[in-house]
Amino acid sequence: MLKVINITLLIIIIMLLLGFSVLNFKKDSLVTTRWYCDQSKNSFISKAYSEYSNITEYMIFTFSSEDSFMIHEYITVEKSNGVISPVEAFYEGKYNKKDNEITLNFDRVRLVKKVQDSNINKSYQDYQGYSISYAYKKLGNKMYFYSMNKNDVFDMVCYKN
């Protein structure tokens, strides 16, 4: 009888541990989530960008597995004279996540729609082979990305789909 009770208790403890680990995993899992992010850049100091007044980026982040991500980005480039041109980019890569840190490794970049300015096109194509590390925090339907190298040009807030 005592043997049956011990085995039953052991099974209950194992089930509880498995349950807690699954709940903890799901709490911070990005798998199969989609996030909408946007950024607006202006006041450029580079001579190559002096003719532009604003660049607005709308991104859809999709974390398709434990280590793969995709980003579909819609960009609006506005010149100082008010002319607006659309750019569209698609990124694929791998990510590593540990605690509240995530590194995005951009393996493939494809410009679906380009502008006439090769500097703009190149600035998006240059992400291929590049990695960006973030500290991130999820709060409800929001996820905050903070650049690990203290470069706020990459900081952003995203909203869950």
Side-chain angles (χ1 to χ4, degrees):
M1 182 70 169
L2 189 57
K3 192 175 187 178
V4 172
I5 292 173
N6 285 338
I7 291 173
T8 304
L9 286 175
L10 182 63
I11 290 172
I12 290 171
I13 290 171
I14 290 172
M15 288 175 60
L16 285 172
L17 289 173
L18 285 173
F20 285 130
S21 68
V22 167
L23 288 175
N24 191 33
F25 170 76
K26 293 210 182 270
K27 177 183 167 191
D28 195 34
S29 178
L30 295 174
V31 177
T32 69
T33 61
R34 184 173 296 176
W35 300 85
Y36 294 95
C37 318
D38 59 19
Q39 290 182 312
S40 185
K41 301 172 184 175
N42 51 36
S43 302
F44 304 106
I45 57 174
S46 168
K47 186 174 180 175
Y49 287 83
S50 62
E51 66 181 292
Y52 299 102
S53 62
N54 191 39
I55 297 177
T56 305
E57 301 170 333
Y58 301 97
M59 294 164 271
I60 302 170
F61 272 77
T62 303
F63 294 94
S64 52
S65 73
E66 278 295 323
D67 67 349
S68 296
F69 74 91
M70 296 178 290
I71 302 171
H72 200 155
E73 184 172 28
Y74 303 92
I75 303 121
T76 302
V77 179
E78 184 175 354
K79 289 188 174 186
S80 300
N81 64 6
V83 174
I84 296 175
S85 301
V87 180
E88 189 175 342
F90 186 76
Y91 309 88
E92 292 177 294
K94 300 289 184 185
Y95 71 95
N96 300 311
K97 185 171 68 75
K98 183 178 179 186
D99 299 326
N100 70 330
E101 296 179 10
I102 188 168
T103 300
L104 303 174
N105 302 301
F106 293 84
D107 298 331
R108 182 172 175 232
V109 175
R110 186 168 49 102
L111 283 183
V112 180
K113 184 179 272 188
K114 298 179 180 182
V115 291
Q116 290 183 359
D117 187 339
S118 62
N119 289 324
I120 297 286
N121 295 329
K122 185 173 179 342
S123 70
Y124 289 100
Q125 287 176 317
D126 281 350
Y127 278 95
Q128 187 159 322
Y130 192 69
S131 295
I132 301 174
S133 294
Y134 291 103
Y136 77 97
K137 183 166 184 87
K138 289 191 319 187
L139 294 172
N141 285 338
K142 295 179 186 171
M143 184 162 42
Y144 299 88
F145 288 95
Y146 306 97
S147 177
M148 296 293 288
N149 63 7
K150 309 294 185 211
N151 185 347
D152 65 355
V153 74
F154 293 116
D155 292 356
M156 63 185 145
V157 178
C158 300
Y159 300 88
K160 192 171 185 180
N161 178 8

